[in-house]
Amino acid sequence: MQVYLQKYQQLLIERPIRTYAIQSGTLQLVGDTVAQQLIERRGKDHDPWRSARMFTYGFAIGGPTVVSWFRFQLKYIKLSNRWKTAAARSAADIFLFTPTILAIFMTGISVLEGRNVDQIREKFDTSYVQGVYNAYHFWPFASLFTQAFVPMLYRPMVNSCFSITWNSYLSYFNQQSLDAINKSKAAAASTTVATPQRISAT
């Protein structure tokens, strides 16, 4: 186990972007699997393309973005002692990074789903505020713990442990957003169809 941990540390130092991209993609895949099988109970109806999109987002977008943010914090957010630094970095996580990374996720995963600008805007109108609200119930505590007690080298790994839970939620959250949009469109379509029928009956 020690050998693997040392190798992981070495990869984080030598190739941080690539290492965290692979790690993030894998954890997004795990999170989506948890969401589909344990939360949504899809069983044999598991959607492999949805899982593939989540992996692709984590590998190509989410992972590199998160590790770049960690490096930015390490370089630019430094105060007089550990606790002040942890508090400042946690505040930056909460008020700057959390709403930004959720917007990046919703945009990135929507592009991978083949959605156009209007459809992406509709998803934001439907779900973004709720997503940020839920994130504020989870990440502040995880962020403060990570910033205060975990050395920089291990933060991506510890953050990823928290991310399994969050990624499960993100996958479920994204699916709920799509379901809400589809239901809204179905209701609008049924109203449009029903209106002429009432007129003709009159």
Side-chain angles (χ1 to χ4, degrees), residues 115-167:
R115 300 187 179 278
N116 59 36
V117 174
D118 290 337
Q119 291 170 325
I120 294 173
R121 186 181 296 114
E122 184 178 13
K123 183 186 282 189
F124 269 79
D125 291 341
T126 303
S127 305
Y128 178 71
V129 172
Q130 183 64 45
V132 173
Y133 176 80
N134 291 338
Y136 283 159
H137 285 74
F138 179 81
W139 279 114
F141 309 102
S143 176
L144 185 59
F145 172 82
T146 302
Q147 299 289 353
F149 298 108
V150 181
M152 174 59 198
L153 188 61
Y154 296 105
R155 282 176 195 163
M157 181 171 61
V158 173
N159 187 73
S160 294
C161 294
F162 288 115
S163 293
I164 292 177
T165 300
W166 182 245
N167 292 341

Side-chain angles (χ1 to χ4, degrees), residues 71-201:
R71 296 169 77 181
F72 171 84
Q73 287 185 315
L74 182 66
K75 185 175 182 179
Y76 293 107
I77 305 180
K78 297 178 181 179
L79 298 179
S80 57
N81 62 58
R82 185 181 74 174
W83 295 105
K84 289 182 180 179
T85 299
R89 289 174 178 173
S90 296
D93 275 342
I94 294 166
F95 296 110
L96 296 177
F97 191 66
T98 295
T100 301
I101 193 62
L102 183 61
I104 291 171
F105 168 77
M106 291 181 66
T107 302
I109 205 70
S110 295
V111 169
L112 292 172
E113 291 167 347
R115 300 187 179 278
N116 59 36
V117 174
D118 290 337
Q119 291 170 325
I120 294 173
R121 186 181 296 114
E122 184 178 13
K123 183 186 282 189
F124 269 79
D125 291 341
T126 303
S127 305
Y128 178 71
V129 172
Q130 183 64 45
V132 173
Y133 176 80
N134 291 338
Y136 283 159
H137 285 74
F138 179 81
W139 279 114
F141 309 102
S143 176
L144 185 59
F145 172 82
T146 302
Q147 299 289 353
F149 298 108
V150 181
M152 174 59 198
L153 188 61
Y154 296 105
R155 282 176 195 163
M157 181 171 61
V158 173
N159 187 73
S160 294
C161 294
F162 288 115
S163 293
I164 292 177
T165 300
W166 182 245
N167 292 341
S168 301
Y169 166 74
L170 281 182
S171 180
Y172 178 72
F173 165 76
N174 184 65
Q175 190 61 39
Q176 291 295 102
S177 300
L178 296 178
D179 291 344
I181 291 171
N182 291 335
K183 287 179 182 178
S184 177
K185 289 181 177 179
S190 64
T191 301
T192 302
V193 171
T195 301
Q197 291 176 346
R198 288 196 298 268
I199 292 174
S200 61

Side-chain angles (χ1 to χ4, degrees), residues 2-79:
Q2 185 66 25
V3 173
Y4 291 112
L5 186 59
Q6 290 175 350
K7 181 63 176 177
Y8 174 74
Q9 294 172 355
Q10 182 181 352
L11 289 172
L12 279 177
I13 294 172
E14 295 176 355
R15 298 180 178 86
I17 301 293
R18 187 178 73 178
T19 301
Y20 203 62
I22 295 171
Q23 177 176 290
S24 180
T26 302
L27 291 171
Q28 289 282 356
L29 179 62
V30 171
D32 177 70
T33 301
V34 171
Q36 292 202 50
Q37 295 300 324
L38 299 183
I39 300 176
E40 300 170 35
R41 305 285 185 178
R42 285 176 171 259
K44 294 182 179 179
D45 293 327
H46 187 100
D47 184 352
W49 293 110
R50 171 177 154 184
S51 297
R53 288 191 296 268
M54 292 294 289
F55 173 84
T56 302
Y57 165 80
F59 177 81
I61 304 172
T65 301
V66 171
V67 77
S68 296
W69 172 248
F70 280 146
R71 296 169 77 181
F72 171 84
Q73 287 185 315
L74 182 66
K75 185 175 182 179
Y76 293 107
I77 305 180
K78 297 178 181 179
L79 298 179

